[in-house]
Amino acid sequence: MKVHHADITTAMRTPADSPSGQEPSSEVNGASSGDAGRESRLVVELKGIRKSFGSVEVLHGVDLEVHAGEHVVIFGPSGSGKSTLLRTINLLEEPNAGSVRVLGVEYGPGVPGERVEKRGGPLQLRRHVGMVFQQFNLFPHLSALHNIALALRSVRGLGRRAAEEKAAHSLRQVGLLRFAAHYPGELSGGQQQRVAIARALSLDPEVMLFDEPTSALDPELVGEVLAVMRVLAESGMTMVIVTHELNFAREIGDFNVFMDEGLVVESGPRGFFESCSNARTRQFMEAVL
C-alpha cells in the first residue's frame, strides 16, 4: 500500500531515523518532565476497586492515584492482579465496585455516598487514555503508516490526508518513519511494538497505559522498546506501566506499586526499591533482581 501524498513521502526521506531504526525522536507530546510529582494535577483516581471473575475476586478494594507527568510502575508476581487493575483504568475490565475517575469524570460504579458531578462512558474515556498491550494487535494487511492512520480516521474522524500526516509524525516519534510503508510481517517484534506505541500516541492521550509491553519480545529486542518508553517518560507523558523489567522500573518510576494477591502490599516514591520495608516486597525483589 502506497503513501499517497508528496509531503509524507518527503518526510519519509528525511534523516529522522538511524540506519538501524532504533533511535526515537525526543519530540513527544506531554508536559515537561519536571512537572512530575504527587502534588500536580490528578489524572487518574481509583478508589476501592473490586473485580471478580465468576466467584473469584481478584481485586480487593484497590486505591491508586496518578498525577500529571507522573510515571507509575506496578509490579508483582503473576496472578497478583496488576494487569487487571491497569485494564480497569480504561474499562477493558469493568470493576464490580469502586470509583474510576479520569480527569475528574466518573466512569466506574462509584463510591457509595460520594457525590458524582460528571459521569462518562467507555468511548469518551478511551479518547483520553492510550494503551499498549503485550501483543501488538496490528492489522497484517496494512502498512505501519496505515495501521496508525486507520485509528485516527476511526477514532478522531480525520480525513485521509490529515490522518496520514499525523501517522507519519507519530512514526517519527518512535524512530520508525523510514519503515512507514512496511507491513507488520516485515518488521521485527520490537519494531511492531513501537508501531503500536506510535498508534496510541497519535491519538494524543492524557495518559498512556503499558501492559507488560516487552513480555512477548525476544530478549535482544526489549531494549529498543524500553528506549522509546524512556523518551516518553523524559517528555513528561503521564504513564502507568505494568512490567517485570524491574531495573527499568527502578530507573523510570516516580511512584512504585507492589501488588500481590489482588492487593497493594506496599508503594512509594523514587528510592522505593532501596527503602521498601514489607517482607513480601523484599522477598519478591530479591528473587527477581
Side-chain angles (χ1 to χ4, degrees):
M1 194 169 293
K2 295 181 179 178
V3 179
H4 295 281
H5 301 290
D7 50 348
I8 300 177
T9 305
T10 300
M12 289 174 63
R13 290 198 297 264
T14 62
D17 305 288
S18 67
S20 63
Q22 293 190 7
E23 293 185 8
S25 167
S26 60
E27 182 186 354
V28 181
N29 292 334
S32 165
S33 58
D35 291 340
R38 303 300 289 175
E39 301 302 320
S40 58
R41 177 174 60 105
L42 193 60
V43 177
V44 176
E45 183 180 22
L46 306 181
K47 287 185 180 179
I49 296 297
R50 294 184 176 273
K51 176 64 181 178
S52 298
F53 295 107
S55 61
V56 179
E57 187 175 71
V58 296
L59 294 176
H60 311 299
V62 177
D63 298 341
L64 181 69
E65 291 185 353
V66 183
H67 295 76
E70 190 173 38
H71 317 129
V72 174
V73 174
I74 305 173
F75 66 101
S78 297
S80 60
K82 54 191 184 297
S83 288
T84 301
L85 181 66
L86 187 79
R87 291 164 68 91
T88 64
I89 295 175
N90 65 355
L91 296 188
L92 287 178
E93 297 291 354
E94 296 190 12
N96 299 101
S99 172
V100 179
R101 293 198 180 192
V102 176
L103 301 174
V105 178
E106 178 65 75
Y107 295 97
V111 174
E114 190 169 282
R115 181 179 177 183
V116 176
E117 296 183 358
K118 296 181 182 179
R119 183 173 290 278
L123 292 180
Q124 177 188 349
L125 171 63
R126 291 167 193 158
R127 291 189 179 101
H128 301 295
V129 180
M131 186 159 186
V132 177
F133 301 87
Q134 296 177 29
Q135 301 298 325
F136 322 125
N137 298 322
L138 301 177
F139 290 107
H141 64 291
L142 296 179
S143 67
L145 183 105
H146 287 95
N147 262 282
I148 299 169
L150 178 63
L152 287 162
R153 297 180 71 181
S154 300
V155 177
R156 295 297 189 202
L158 297 185
R160 184 174 191 169
R161 179 187 179 92
E164 291 179 353
E165 289 176 345
K166 190 164 181 60
H169 176 70
S170 296
L171 284 171
R172 184 171 188 167
Q173 288 179 317
V174 300
L176 286 179
L177 183 57
R178 70 189 188 93
F179 293 92
H182 286 60
Y183 293 90
E186 300 172 323
L187 301 173
S188 71
Q191 289 169 333
Q192 289 184 61
Q193 189 63 293
R194 287 157 66 191
V195 172
I197 294 173
R199 179 176 56 191
L201 280 176
S202 73
L203 300 174
D204 298 323
E206 291 280 346
V207 56
M208 285 279 288
L209 312 179
F210 293 86
D211 186 9
E212 299 187 34
T214 62
S215 64
L217 300 177
D218 291 335
E220 65 268 24
L221 301 177
V222 169
E224 63 184 86
V225 173
L226 295 183
V228 169
M229 294 175 64
R230 191 173 289 111
V231 169
L232 282 178
E234 290 171 354
S235 78
M237 172 65 72
T238 307
M239 302 163 69
V240 185
I241 305 163
V242 170
T243 184
H244 289 297
E245 302 284 343
L246 292 196
N247 285 320
F248 178 70
R250 189 203 305 252
E251 171 191 345
I252 204 173
D254 295 313
F255 192 75
N256 305 278
V257 178
F258 174 66
M259 291 188 65
D260 194 19
E261 298 184 349
L263 292 167
V264 174
V265 175
E266 190 173 8
S267 61
R270 287 193 177 275
F272 173 79
F273 288 85
E274 292 72 38
S275 63
C276 61
S277 58
N278 183 274
R280 178 67 183 103
T281 310
R282 299 187 74 85
Q283 177 189 38
F284 177 81
M285 290 199 293
E286 287 170 4
V288 300
L289 281 176

